[in-house]
Amino acid sequence: MSKIKQSYAQALSELELILSDLEKNETIDIDLVEKKVKRAAELISICKSQLTKIDEDLDKILSELE
């Protein structure tokens, strides 16, 4: 995987595509399922990391306003 940083929206969009593909494809190859699940885990990690950073940034901004 490349080190290009994905935005939250891009990661979420790709995650939704993976989920849709897995839901509609009843005869998907098990090796492909493994790849998609691994990629989904990476995307979830990206989203979680970005949400955590945003939460920390907002906490900092709000504490400075007090």
Side-chain angles (χ1 to χ4, degrees):
M1 185 179 114
S2 66
K3 293 292 180 180
I4 297 172
K5 184 172 176 158
Q6 274 187 298
S7 73
Y8 179 86
Q10 291 169 326
L12 186 59
S13 178
E14 186 180 343
L15 191 55
E16 289 170 343
L17 286 172
I18 290 170
L19 179 59
S20 175
D21 191 37
L22 289 174
E23 287 177 337
K24 72 179 178 185
N25 201 341
E26 296 176 8
T27 59
I28 194 166
D29 180 83
I30 192 69
D31 293 324
L32 187 55
V33 170
E34 179 186 21
K35 281 181 158 180
K36 288 185 178 286
V37 169
K38 283 181 181 180
R39 180 61 181 152
E42 292 170 357
L43 293 165
I44 290 168
S45 179
I46 289 168
C47 289
K48 184 177 177 181
S49 174
Q50 290 182 8
L51 287 172
T52 300
K53 181 171 180 348
I54 289 168
D55 185 50
E56 291 168 354
D57 291 347
L58 289 174
D59 282 346
K60 182 181 176 189
I61 291 168
L62 292 174
S63 70
E64 290 173 356
L65 291 174
E66 293 178 353

